[in-house]
Amino acid sequence: MKLHLAGGQKYKEGWTNVDWTDRHRVDIKANILRPEFWATIATDSVDQVLAEHFIEHIPHELRHTDKDGLIWFFEELYRVCRDGATLEFAFPHFQGSWAYGDPTHCRFVQAMTLRYFDRVQAKHGPMPDYGLNCDFSIKDMNYFLSV
């Protein structure tokens, strides 16, 4: 399965397109930040994930968990992804005006943020151990500038 999360107007053929609204074409209308959505996805069933300009909107507090919202989201991704799955995220640079200017952004994201979810990098970096239930391997990070 290939999951395209919160794609909005960017429908991707051959992917399962999920968004909270059906104002645009979607395959599944669901709130990605609710456990009910994730309960519909089998463990080890996802090969690819694409989430462009979504993770900066994840609030720190979710009603259904004591965990930070981003940690809960990544733990759910880890559960549903097969070994070797690829995940691709796009988010505004944390120093850019889009990061600060959008009133719906709940957090600033940078490369270091994603390293917390890779135990090897977290172990050798200055990050505290938050006891995360996921262990992604970061293979590549790319930076793109856009206007």
Side-chain angles (χ1 to χ4, degrees), residues 108-121:
F108 302 108
V109 183
Q110 60 170 321
M112 182 60 78
T113 306
L114 300 179
R115 288 190 169 102
Y116 275 86
F117 302 101
D118 180 331
R119 285 191 188 138
V120 171
Q121 293 199 30

Side-chain angles (χ1 to χ4, degrees), residues 4 12-13 20 30 50 73 92 103 109 133-134:
H4 184 210
K12 292 186 66 70
E13 292 293 339
W20 67 275
L50 174 62
F73 173 73
V109 183
N133 294 318
C134 59

Side-chain angles (χ1 to χ4, degrees), residues 1-8 11 15-21 25-32 37 41 50:
M1 173 189 286
K2 297 191 292 188
L3 278 179
H4 184 210
L5 301 175
Y11 187 88
W15 291 65
T16 301
N17 295 269
V18 184
D19 211 327
W20 67 275
T21 178
R25 184 176 172 198
V26 296
D27 300 308
I28 299 173
K29 178 183 172 187
N31 184 337
I32 298 162
F37 165 70
I41 302 175
L50 174 62

Side-chain angles (χ1 to χ4, degrees), residues 71-136:
I71 292 171
W72 178 86
F73 173 73
F74 270 89
E75 288 180 348
E76 285 300 309
L77 281 178
Y78 189 72
R79 180 187 66 78
V80 302
C81 285
R82 291 185 172 136
D83 283 346
T86 59
L87 292 80
E88 183 177 337
F89 300 99
F91 43 85
H93 189 276
F94 68 96
Q95 292 179 322
S97 60
W98 284 110
Y100 290 93
D102 187 331
T104 67
H105 287 178
C106 301
R107 64 179 69 240
F108 302 108
V109 183
Q110 60 170 321
M112 182 60 78
T113 306
L114 300 179
R115 288 190 169 102
Y116 275 86
F117 302 101
D118 180 331
R119 285 191 188 138
V120 171
Q121 293 199 30
K123 180 180 176 183
H124 297 293
M127 295 87 97
D129 180 5
Y130 288 124
L132 306 178
N133 294 318
C134 59
D135 186 17
F136 290 102

